[in-house]
Amino acid sequence: MFGLIGFPLSHSFSKEYFQKKFKNHQIDEEYELFPIREINDICILLNKNIKKLRGLNVTIPYKESVLKYLTDIDSDAKAIGAVNVIKICEKDGIPVLIGYNTDWKGFLSSLLPLLNGKSISNALILGTGGASKAIAYALRKIGIKCSFVSRSIDKGDYSYNNLDNKAIASHQLIVNTTPLGTFPNVSTCPDIPYEAISRNHICYDLVYNPEQTEFLRKCEANGATVKNGLEMLYNQADLAWEIWIDRV
């Protein structure tokens, strides 16, 4: 059995994607959603299913807090400080949980075609959670400087209260890593000065359900190039598959 932990999970496409992948490869495995309200509940989940569980995906809000439950962490995940994939195996009768981060590669491979030779030097990342750290890691790999926007100024370079038109104009790439706009709360979006968005901007939303979030709608209305997180979801899922299935 494989599965996804996070809360809430009503928006997730992961179960459908992996079940189809298992069927296409004629692999007799299950994939389930495990909406746990507290990260401590992972212990209950593991104790109940440890003989069956071989891997987990991790989503909001547990990509950072899950670290303390892991036996080992891959070098990329350690550098990022967040995990979205766990491989579960056994050594001498004891469960071994190894954490990985496939978000950064999944995002980067999805973003690169959008850049298409454009000279992007600065990115604005909305949110400071585990997903934001993976995005920053990916962008720094290709030489893009990152600034963070948080609800609290002590957690980011900007707060939503002091983010002005000048800041928006000076960051040609804007990435929303918050869950704002996710189904079923589709009318919400990050509170930024959208009037400063222009055709020179690339605006990327990690949210993929709905297909066009309010954030993307507002950015596109001002001429920006926009993309949602569906391709990233599939990219990171395929990388998780490689970790679970191909690395036997």
Side-chain angles (χ1 to χ4, degrees):
M1 179 189 290
F2 298 84
L4 171 68
I5 61 170
F7 194 84
L9 296 179
S10 59
H11 68 282
S12 178
F13 290 174
S14 293
K15 181 175 180 177
E16 178 184 357
Y17 185 74
F18 277 109
Q19 284 184 328
K20 184 177 180 180
K21 201 168 178 68
F22 285 133
K23 183 178 180 180
N24 290 342
H25 286 78
Q26 298 183 329
I27 296 175
D28 186 20
E29 295 284 3
E30 301 173 30
Y31 191 97
E32 298 294 339
L33 302 181
F34 300 111
I36 57 176
R37 289 183 174 272
E38 303 286 343
I39 187 57
N40 291 341
D41 291 342
I42 191 176
C43 298
I44 300 172
L45 173 66
L46 291 171
N47 288 336
K48 185 178 179 181
N49 298 286
I50 197 62
K51 291 185 177 180
K52 295 190 294 182
L53 272 173
R54 294 176 59 195
L56 290 169
N57 290 123
V58 185
T59 190
I60 291 174
Y62 303 130
K63 293 185 179 186
E64 295 170 285
S65 57
V66 76
L67 294 175
K68 63 183 178 182
Y69 297 92
L70 304 179
T71 310
D72 197 8
I73 306 172
D74 169 75
S75 58
D76 285 321
K78 190 174 293 185
I80 292 167
V83 158
N84 73 303
V85 178
I86 300 172
K87 183 179 178 71
I88 302 173
C89 47
E90 192 177 288
K91 184 176 182 181
D92 300 326
I94 300 173
V96 176
L97 278 68
I98 306 172
Y100 299 84
N101 194 299
T102 62
D103 277 339
W104 76 273
K105 285 185 177 179
F107 168 74
L108 193 57
S109 58
S110 174
L111 175 71
L112 288 176
L114 290 182
L115 298 182
N116 193 27
K118 293 182 180 178
S119 179
I120 303 288
S121 55
N122 298 296
L124 199 61
I125 299 176
L126 310 181
T128 54
S132 74
K133 292 175 171 59
I135 300 310
Y137 186 77
L139 293 176
R140 288 167 183 153
K141 288 278 188 181
I142 56 173
I144 296 179
K145 296 178 182 178
C146 302
S147 297
F148 294 89
V149 184
S150 174
R151 288 174 293 181
S152 176
I153 188 61
D154 61 337
K155 290 186 177 180
D157 302 286
Y158 299 92
S159 72
Y160 289 100
N161 291 331
N162 69 12
L163 188 65
D164 56 18
N165 288 9
K166 182 178 179 181
I168 293 291
S170 62
H171 295 83
Q172 305 92 343
L173 172 62
I174 301 177
V175 184
N176 176 40
T177 70
T178 78
L180 290 171
T182 303
F183 175 85
N185 302 310
V186 297
S187 63
T188 60
C189 63
D191 184 15
I192 66 173
Y194 290 95
E195 66 273 11
I197 301 288
S198 73
R199 67 180 63 185
N200 296 322
H201 282 90
I202 296 173
C203 298
Y204 194 113
D205 198 336
L206 267 58
V207 175
Y208 56 83
N209 183 10
E211 183 177 348
Q212 185 180 57
T213 60
E214 187 68 4
F215 168 74
L216 292 183
R217 186 190 69 77
K218 289 186 173 185
C219 293
E220 188 174 43
N222 280 3
T225 299
V226 301
K227 188 176 184 69
N228 69 22
L230 188 60
E231 185 179 13
M232 174 185 167
L233 172 76
Y234 293 158
N235 289 346
Q236 65 81 25
D238 288 342
L239 291 166
W241 172 274
E242 292 177 12
I243 291 169
W244 293 335
I245 307 299
D246 294 344
R247 301 182 191 178
V248 178

